[in-house]
Amino acid sequence: MNTNTALLFRSPLKREDFRTGLLCLLPSAVIVFIFIIFPIFFSLFLSVHEWSILTSEMDFIGLGNFDRMIHSKEFWNTLKNTFVYTMGVVPVGAAASLGLALLLNRKVLASGFFRTAYFLPVITSTIAVAIVWFWIFDTNNGLLNIIIRKFGGTGIPWLSSSKYAMLSIIIVTIWKNAGYHMIILLAGLKAIPDEYYEAAQIDGASAVQKFFSITLPMISPALVFVLITNTIFSFQAFGQIYTMTGGGPSQSTSVIVYYLYQRAFEFQEMGYASAVAWVIFVILLLLTLLQLRLQRKDL
Amino acid sequence: MTTIKIAKSTILYIVLIALAVIFIFPFMWMVVSALKTDVQIFSYQAKFLPDPPQWKNFITAWKQIPLGRYYMNSMFVSGVITVFQVFTSALTAYVFARLYFPYKNVIFILYLGTMMIPTQVTIIPLFMVMRRLGLIDTYAALILPFLAYPYGTFLLKQFFSGIPTDLEDAARIDGYSRLRILFKIVIPLSKPALITLSMLSFMWSWNSFFWPLVVTNSSKRYTVQVGLAMLKNELAMSTEWSMLMAATVITVLPVLIFLIITQKYIIKGISISGLKG
């Protein structure tokens, strides 16, 4: 502590603040150090080791795990799947959420009912949602194929064919999260001052013009937030894939976190899985930095 | 003019209702499926409504599957996590919002920064530590890593900063200590924010899946989510759909109703995250 702070500490009030502050921060600090800071370093350590379950010995192998990853077809496949999944979920999801928010931003009777309806999947657990949709997607007796057959079509093997499985997962995810991002966008829409629209009205602007020259620019910070956070969420998708497809059929829905789960907890390759975790971390870090940049620009 | 208006609002309501159906119908399908017999489930002339409704499916599911146990586990784990998160968040938020503390803004940013570290990075080392400590399949393993919550600190700091300091100044003149001010003045004034945070914490820990999946391995410690996922693996294999749906209804409905009633707070918590980044 430098002399400056020592001087400040002469004030007994500040001394009391400092003591109280230490006391208040201590519990959280202990938890953060044990459960976040320490594991990060341990994870770095693991990522350059090979850990065998048979001997439970750590062998230092340098960048061996990363080398194995680069040459693993499975790893690239999961990365590709994660990318496909994200590209499916994020833009369509944002458009759907914006649509819902715009609808609810009008003067609507029973708007509370509609908002609750769209919000229902958000407050339901991913696992329960995944189970219900697993049943809806069932090829033989699922609701979706019953409807398709009623209209004379042939049933689609939603989850049992590698052609449709990822699409099915994407549909469920959009359905589950649309209401969440709707809330954020709705808050953004409500923050736009009415005067802007009134002024545009006087100038004789059409609804489309108003949308593109007022609504969209005004809501773009919230929209950027939704796009980036949803991308970050998407890179961490796990529960619905674990429940609905188990990464299959033939690895078509195996995303990167599912790959990490299998490597770490089914094959006990803790070192290799930690290396995969760091790849996820770096990708998410870049996305977060992008978000911070874009948001600063918007402000 | 008016006919156009009527037509427009008719279309608006048709769209709103159609969307509501898309979001609600899967829940209804879950309930009606839970009430059907296997014969009704597999009949190609599938009727929407179960005839007659098999209420006993719920009793069978409750008796055959340790759902009560999963419920108790989830309630206990989520309850403890929520109470501690609110408590630790209030303490830290108070420091960052009010107290003199060296480098407190830097500490605050760093603390929030820990949220950017994906759980995937910490989960493997944490698992190994828990195994070394013999804590696998215990409540401790389910609870301990989540006793502090940076977003909670952020949320409460925003709220605390918005409270006028007059009352606290007066209390200080009366000789109240900082801690006493926190518990006697600031916390009672922050009830809406504290409820919002509790709801977010509860919902988050109730629905969490990855860590409970990794750290439990017996139905004695399964949370509702892990129990359901395991159940799905069993029952979908043997195509016992009505049983699976009955179990899902039992575990989903009570919490869903609770969250619907309190959604105002959850919505507030989510809106803040978007407005402030």
Side-chain angles (χ1 to χ4, degrees), chain A residues 17 109 116 118 125 135 243, chain B residues 13 16 100 178 225 232 263:
Chain A
D17 269 20
L109 286 173
T116 306
Y118 308 157
S125 77
W135 166 224
T243 313
Chain B
Y13 281 101
L16 282 166
Y100 165 82
R178 282 291 205 181
Q225 308 311 329
K232 183 251 147 195
Q263 63 171 313

Side-chain angles (χ1 to χ4, degrees), chain B residues 223-238:
Chain B
T223 61
V224 166
Q225 308 311 329
V226 180
L228 266 185
M230 296 303 157
L231 195 65
K232 183 251 147 195
N233 289 343
E234 275 173 47
L235 295 182
M237 199 79 86
S238 50

Side-chain angles (χ1 to χ4, degrees), chain B residues 154-175:
Chain B
F154 169 77
L155 197 86
L156 293 185
K157 187 203 167 216
Q158 297 290 106
F159 196 88
F160 289 173
S161 302
I163 302 173
T165 52
D166 315 18
L167 233 90
E168 288 168 65
D169 293 341
R172 294 215 74 172
I173 292 164
D174 286 348

Side-chain angles (χ1 to χ4, degrees), chain A residues 98-118:
Chain A
L98 184 59
L100 294 175
L102 286 169
L103 282 172
L104 288 183
N105 197 37
R106 293 161 161 271
K107 282 210 168 60
V108 188
L109 286 173
S111 63
F113 164 77
F114 290 114
R115 192 189 60 193
T116 306
Y118 308 157

Side-chain angles (χ1 to χ4, degrees), chain B residues 80 92 131 164 197 205:
Chain B
V80 173
T92 47
R131 187 162 58 185
L197 175 57
S205 53

Side-chain angles (χ1 to χ4, degrees), chain B residues 100-118:
Chain B
Y100 165 82
F101 199 83
Y103 305 107
K104 73 170 181 181
N105 290 330
V106 178
I107 300 172
F108 180 61
I109 302 273
L110 284 177
Y111 185 42
L112 286 190
T114 61
M115 277 198 296
M116 288 177 199
I117 294 148

